[in-house]
Amino acid sequence: MAIQQPIKPKSRPFTLNFGPQHPAAHGVLRLILSMQGEQIIKTDTHIGLLHRGTEKLIEYKTALQALPYFDRLDYVSVMAMEHSFCLAIERLTNTIISTRAKCIRMLYAELTRVLNHLLAVSCFAMDTGALTPFLFAFEEREKLMEFYERVCGARMHSAYFRPGGVAADLPGGILQSIHQWADQFASRIDEMEELLTGNRIFKQRLVDIGVLNAQDAVSWGVSGVLLRGSGIAYDLRKAQPYELYDKVKFNVPVGTNSDCYDRYLLRIEEMRQSLRIIKQTIDLMPISGTTLISPNDKLSLLSDKGGYQDRPSRAEFKTSMEGLIKHFKATSSGFALPAGETYCATEAPKGEFGVLCVSNGTNRPYRVKIKSPDYASLQAIDLIGRGHYLADVVAIIGSLDVVFGSIDR
């Protein structure tokens, strides 16, 4: 008599909503996961829950009034967001800024990179079960926030980079403070690595998870750590140098396995390279007193002589009502942008952040389009998530380092 085999129950795919309330969904991300048991078959990304119409709002503002909108895109990389827009306006107006202003921008761009990666690595670790690195990272982030506050009075929405330079010169003693911080920060990175890099549980959650090969990375248009993690050594600071990046020496770290663990290692190494750039930039910095925004430049609201667009002189602005009125008019009306268009991109902490600015010759941009790196990174989640398990989705999202201010524009 033949033994009857037990009948296996038929299973069918089911749908699971991941986010937007989930703590690992980074704010307002909603994923609709098609699953076979615990395994992911397909990921449908739903975005737009934070949409604020940033690009359209900017088109109704002058260049200076539009700047704070960039602060609110990637709100953990504030000055990096301002950078591309300022370069685009300067390219449209053929403005050449001073060496000191370039050095200040580079210095704060790299401090911003460290600020971003500290949050990315620590939240990534917390999503995968490790809380202590989060506490270490936020102690260092607090020191960097103080450097923000000392130059512009704000911890987050700084509006410090301006078309033509920066809003104000560095306060006394800040370069020494930054140098002292850079000297001790390398050991803080070591402490984080002691907890994470060789940690058996951390590696089990990340190694061979979310693999994105080089061909797919190029096809999907990703940039930054996600692209370099796939083995492609592309960094805009090297490929298309801006400011004074061609004057400093640093390495572009590249991954080998294209997985979540490689992306963690790259962010750690990029912080070390940023320290090298910070120290070299401090050495390149001209002595204080060098003009940041030229008084005779078209982007300046004040001049030493007055004249351009009826700007008040610096003395007149403070001593007469007519000067104050002229200054108010110059501030509210802004300056005219020459007709034309330009695309400017910088190597932001998350990848290539670009701004397309089209001008029709008025004081307001005719069109502004923003290319945010994490928008491109997020679309790859369906490709790299297939075949993995539900718990791996959390690790993959953390490795992408997405912030929805710049995705839901």
Side-chain angles (χ1 to χ4, degrees):
M1 182 176 175
I3 300 173
Q4 187 175 0
Q5 296 294 328
I7 300 173
K8 293 183 180 179
K10 292 182 180 179
S11 63
R12 60 183 178 83
F14 70 98
T15 302
L16 179 72
N17 276 292
F18 183 98
Q21 289 84 11
H22 194 286
H26 290 251
V28 286
L29 168 63
R30 180 187 175 208
L31 298 178
I32 299 179
L33 305 175
S34 297
M35 304 180 67
Q36 187 84 45
E38 283 268 321
Q39 206 165 21
I40 310 296
I41 300 172
K42 182 183 177 184
T43 304
D44 187 10
T45 309
H46 282 225
I47 63 173
L49 298 171
L50 191 70
H51 184 59
R52 297 163 292 173
T54 299
E55 292 160 333
K56 188 54 65 178
L57 286 167
I58 289 171
E59 292 166 11
Y60 287 85
K61 306 291 181 184
T62 67
L64 204 57
Q65 291 166 346
L67 191 72
Y69 286 104
F70 287 87
D71 291 341
R72 288 149 178 85
L73 291 172
D74 183 354
Y75 36 77
V76 296
S77 305
V78 174
M79 293 195 194
M81 300 296 98
E82 301 168 1
H83 205 169
S84 297
F85 181 64
C86 291
L87 289 174
I89 297 299
E90 287 158 8
R91 186 177 292 180
L92 270 177
T93 56
N94 293 318
T95 301
I96 299 174
I97 69 171
S98 71
T99 302
R100 182 171 175 83
K102 290 180 179 180
C103 286
I104 294 172
R105 282 184 180 180
M106 276 181 61
L107 180 64
Y108 272 85
E110 294 308 314
L111 289 174
T112 301
R113 193 177 313 279
V114 175
L115 201 65
N116 179 94
H117 286 348
L118 280 173
L119 185 78
V121 169
S122 60
C123 289
F124 188 19
M126 190 164 60
D127 287 346
T128 52
L131 176 62
T132 309
F134 183 83
L135 305 177
F136 285 4
F138 267 69
E139 181 182 356
E140 296 303 313
R141 276 176 56 85
E142 194 63 32
K143 297 172 185 175
L144 294 174
M145 289 292 189
E146 184 182 322
F147 296 146
Y148 264 44
E149 198 170 6
R150 284 171 67 177
V151 294
C152 66
R155 287 164 53 86
M156 290 188 68
H157 303 311
S158 57
Y160 183 57
F161 290 11
R162 301 288 177 89
V166 291
D169 204 350
L170 296 174
I174 194 168
L175 291 179
Q176 290 83 351
S177 299
I178 292 173
H179 202 283
Q180 289 170 5
W181 169 83
D183 284 338
Q184 60 86 37
F185 181 64
S187 61
R188 303 286 84 78
I189 300 176
D190 293 340
E191 289 174 358
M192 292 179 68
E193 282 214 83
E194 285 175 16
L195 288 170
L196 294 175
T197 303
N199 187 297
R200 177 173 54 86
I201 300 172
F202 189 64
K203 291 180 73 173
Q204 285 175 342
R205 292 294 305 271
L206 305 184
V207 174
D208 295 331
I209 302 298
V211 174
L212 179 67
N213 62 51
Q215 184 178 350
D216 287 334
V218 173
S219 299
W220 285 78
V222 301
S223 58
V225 169
L226 196 57
L227 180 65
R228 292 189 287 273
S230 299
I232 299 175
Y234 182 77
D235 188 312
L236 281 168
R237 295 172 295 173
K238 291 276 192 182
Q240 301 172 21
Y242 50 95
E243 305 297 14
L244 298 175
Y245 277 109
D246 55 341
K247 306 292 185 185
V248 297
K249 295 180 180 180
F250 65 98
N251 299 325
V252 178
V254 177
T256 54
N257 299 322
S258 313
D259 57 9
C260 290
Y261 188 64
D262 266 12
R263 290 167 212 143
Y264 153 75
L265 292 175
L266 288 184
R267 290 189 176 97
I268 290 289
E269 183 57 30
E270 284 194 5
M271 285 193 282
R272 297 189 191 277
Q273 296 302 319
S274 286
L275 288 182
R276 290 180 63 190
I277 297 172
I278 286 167
K279 290 181 179 180
Q280 291 175 74
T281 303
I282 292 173
D283 293 337
L284 284 172
M285 187 87 66
I287 59 171
S288 59
T290 306
T291 304
L292 296 178
I293 298 180
S294 169
N296 300 318
D297 193 88
K298 65 187 73 175
L299 305 187
S300 177
L301 296 177
L302 297 173
S303 79
D304 287 337
K305 299 177 180 178
Y308 186 86
Q309 288 187 342
D310 203 24
R311 291 176 299 169
S313 68
R314 296 175 189 273
E316 187 184 4
F317 164 53
K318 293 187 176 182
T319 56
S320 73
M321 180 54 69
E322 288 77 11
L324 185 63
I325 292 169
K326 288 178 183 176
H327 182 260
F328 175 78
K329 183 68 170 64
T331 305
S332 57
S333 300
F335 45 84
L337 296 171
E341 69 175 81
T342 186
Y343 173 79
C344 255
T346 58
E347 187 65 37
K350 292 177 173 62
E352 180 182 339
F353 179 78
V355 175
L356 172 69
C357 187
V358 182
S359 171
N360 58 358
T362 65
N363 62 337
R364 294 185 292 189
Y366 176 69
R367 285 287 182 269
V368 171
K369 297 297 179 185
I370 295 167
K371 179 189 185 298
S372 59
D374 38 352
Y375 184 91
S377 299
L378 184 64
Q379 69 179 346
I381 194 170
D382 178 44
L383 176 70
I384 65 180
R386 291 186 182 188
H388 289 303
Y389 294 96
L390 179 60
D392 298 328
V393 173
V394 175
I396 291 170
I397 295 172
S399 77
L400 298 181
D401 185 22
V402 292
V403 164
F404 271 78
S406 58
I407 292 173
D408 286 350
R409 296 186 297 277

